[in-house]
Amino acid sequence: MKRRFNVTGSCIPQRHYMVGLDSRLKKIKEDFVDYGSYFVINRGRQYGKTTTLKALKNYLAEEYIVVSLDFQMLGTEDFADEARFSSAFLDVFVRACEIRGIDREDELLKPLKELAGGKGYGLKEMFAVLSGVCGNSKKPVVLMIDEVDSASNNQVFVDFLAQLRSYYLNRDERRNDIIVDYKGEQFIVELKIWHGNEYNERREQQFTDYLDYYHKDKGYMLSFNFNKNKETGVREVKAGKKTIVEGVV
């Protein structure tokens, strides 16, 4: 196939003349991705942003699960409210994973497909499930979103970015959950380290979101307190409509 210079969209090495990207991709990986940073590529049209993202997706594939989304795939109606946006986002997310053929695809995507098949969920439920998928992945997950400017004037997109940033900032507060199946019934148990009352209250709220996903009204939290003057024991806490049995050791 003949090649030519291209000024009307992303460049494809087999079809277009283009500069080598290896050094640029290496720098992005080493300076940003490997450190777990989030970053923005922001330039004018036809500066190679999409071309760079497509090349980066393949460059990272060996060490990371890369989910690359294009917000031009979402229509105006998809930004009407949380429910529509969440449904459209999950649909694009799942299709992007299926196209890439990621490891343990069926196992990882099952919770997303189950949520997508339901109704009445929004950003809170979507992020709770996405967080679980990332936590269960053997490789780190990299999310790339192209053409975000097409969605920047929508409030639901602003809410999406706010929750995405919140999960990013709290990414090291990893949950350690145990799901016990006993005589046909599931018991959800979260293990954590005690970091004070304020931290504990935040974890309680996050845990209720997790219980929502499993359609449970009751869950169990076991906190390991390493303070010398700790108070141990068991108590029952009401968090909204949920009941949490908390134990401190």
Side-chain angles (χ1 to χ4, degrees):
M1 181 179 294
K2 292 184 177 180
R3 291 194 296 171
R4 63 180 179 181
F5 290 102
N6 176 43
V7 292
T8 58
S10 60
C11 293
I12 302 172
Q14 294 80 9
R15 297 183 179 181
H16 307 120
Y17 295 111
M18 52 188 294
V19 298
L21 295 176
D22 288 350
S23 60
R24 187 179 305 176
L25 299 177
K26 184 174 184 292
K27 181 174 178 59
I28 292 174
K29 179 181 181 296
E30 293 180 350
D31 290 356
F32 297 101
V33 180
D34 287 346
Y35 282 103
S37 302
Y38 71 86
F39 58 94
V40 177
I41 299 177
N42 182 26
R43 290 301 298 270
R45 297 184 63 81
Q46 295 305 126
Y47 268 90
K49 302 184 297 298
T50 299
T51 298
T52 300
L53 287 177
K54 287 184 175 180
L56 184 63
K57 175 175 64 177
N58 295 324
Y59 188 81
L60 298 174
E62 185 174 342
E63 298 180 36
Y64 297 89
I65 290 178
V66 184
V67 183
S68 180
L69 311 181
D70 183 349
F71 268 19
Q72 289 184 134
M73 299 295 291
L74 303 183
T76 302
E77 292 184 355
D78 293 327
F79 293 92
D81 53 47
E82 271 195 31
R84 293 188 186 184
F85 176 82
S86 300
S87 176
F89 182 88
L90 281 184
D91 180 60
V92 174
F93 189 98
V94 169
R95 281 192 285 123
C97 291
E98 291 175 339
I99 291 173
R100 293 293 293 176
I102 63 175
D103 294 337
R104 299 167 59 225
E105 178 183 302
D106 292 340
E107 181 182 346
L108 283 175
L109 297 185
K110 183 180 179 181
L112 293 178
K113 291 180 178 179
E114 289 178 349
L115 180 62
K119 294 182 179 180
Y121 64 89
L123 292 174
K124 181 178 72 172
E125 294 81 8
M126 182 183 77
F127 273 106
V129 176
L130 284 173
S131 179
V133 169
C134 293
N136 290 327
S137 174
K138 290 184 177 180
K139 294 181 180 180
V141 178
V142 175
L143 174 64
M144 300 195 304
I145 304 177
D146 197 8
E147 303 294 350
V148 293
D149 56 329
S150 62
S152 58
N153 292 326
N154 296 279
Q155 181 58 44
V156 68
F157 178 65
V158 175
D159 295 339
F160 165 79
L161 288 182
Q163 292 206 34
L164 183 64
R165 184 172 186 272
S166 177
Y167 269 87
Y168 172 80
L169 293 176
N170 294 306
R171 66 196 183 281
D172 289 328
E173 295 183 6
R174 297 181 179 178
R175 66 183 331 126
N176 294 290
D177 297 319
I178 299 173
I179 301 177
V180 179
D181 285 290
Y182 180 69
K183 292 185 177 180
E185 187 175 355
Q186 284 188 332
F187 299 87
I188 312 300
V189 183
E190 177 174 332
L191 310 179
K192 64 186 183 66
I193 297 175
W194 179 267
H195 291 296
N197 290 322
E198 185 177 344
Y199 171 82
N200 192 64
E201 289 175 2
R202 292 201 308 269
R203 297 297 292 184
E204 287 173 354
Q205 184 56 51
Q206 293 173 1
F207 190 46
T208 62
D209 296 340
Y210 200 62
L211 292 175
D212 274 337
Y213 171 67
Y214 282 98
H215 308 292
K216 297 295 181 183
D217 294 322
K218 188 175 185 178
Y220 302 83
M221 294 179 67
L222 179 60
S223 299
F224 295 89
N225 190 336
F226 297 100
N227 297 331
K228 290 184 178 179
N229 299 321
K230 63 183 177 182
E231 294 184 9
T232 61
V234 179
R235 64 173 184 157
E236 194 171 278
V237 178
K238 285 289 185 181
K241 297 181 179 180
K242 307 296 184 184
T243 299
I244 301 175
V245 179
E246 294 188 5
V248 179
V249 295

